[in-house]
Amino acid sequence: MGTAQSATMVKDVMHPGARCIEAHETLDRAAQLMRELGVGALPVCDDGRRLQGIITDRDIVVECVAAGRDPAKTRAGDLASGLIWVGSDATIDEALAKMEEHQIRRLPVVEDDQIIGMISEADLARHLPPDKLSELVSRIYAPS
């Protein structure tokens, strides 16, 4: 990996093969899929695996259930937000910059217009020196 972590590419540290939920599927299905996979966020894709956004467990609770909407009738695409992603050939520094700018903890990885994986703050943390990790955490969790 060398001495500079900026030489490490996103594709080297991401979780490959991100499971998408299609935009037409319902939020109750999204919640079931999150439970099955043990994740708190799912990329929302069209039928060609092109990224439409991302949906989190918090989105389902706050924007659907707490708002009195029916998760069995609300589509994932209705709540998909944050069409923010990083290319597979991006460096860790570039991924960090996007996560910090948007105060997010997960980032879809895209190659040839299709999602191929996800990268999280935990994935990046394993490859960061302590001072850079501390900076990342403070920026992501800073009050907006």
Side-chain angles (χ1 to χ4, degrees):
M1 300 267 170
T3 56
Q5 101 277 346
S6 61
T8 303
M9 307 304 273
V10 166
K11 63 184 166 194
D12 298 326
V13 298
M14 71 177 187
H15 282 89
R19 180 81 181 267
C20 290
I21 186 154
E22 291 189 13
H24 67 85
E25 293 196 65
T26 59
L27 294 182
D28 60 343
R29 177 64 188 131
Q32 292 163 357
L33 191 53
M34 287 179 189
R35 184 183 63 212
E36 288 170 20
L37 298 172
V39 298
L42 286 173
V44 178
C45 299
D46 65 12
D47 57 6
R49 288 190 57 85
R50 285 182 301 272
L51 186 65
Q52 305 291 306
I54 195 164
I55 189 166
T56 67
D57 47 7
R58 186 177 191 281
D59 293 333
I60 294 171
V61 171
V62 173
E63 302 297 328
C64 180
V65 177
R69 297 168 72 181
D70 183 351
K73 294 181 181 172
T74 306
R75 297 175 325 117
D78 295 339
L79 293 188
S81 63
L83 191 54
I84 301 162
W85 53 272
V86 67
S88 61
D89 59 348
T91 65
I92 286 181
D93 283 342
E94 290 168 329
L96 277 173
K98 278 199 178 191
M99 293 171 96
E100 290 171 359
E101 176 185 352
H102 299 284
Q103 294 188 343
I104 55 177
R105 295 180 287 166
R106 304 166 191 93
L107 197 55
V109 179
V110 173
E111 186 173 273
D112 297 326
D113 294 327
Q114 293 194 352
I115 186 164
I116 63 163
M118 291 283 283
I119 190 161
S120 70
E121 63 186 351
D123 298 325
L124 295 174
R126 288 190 293 273
H127 298 275
L128 291 176
D131 60 324
K132 196 97 167 170
L133 176 59
S134 175
E135 183 181 327
L136 167 69
V137 170
S138 68
R139 288 190 183 176
I140 290 175
Y141 292 104
S144 42

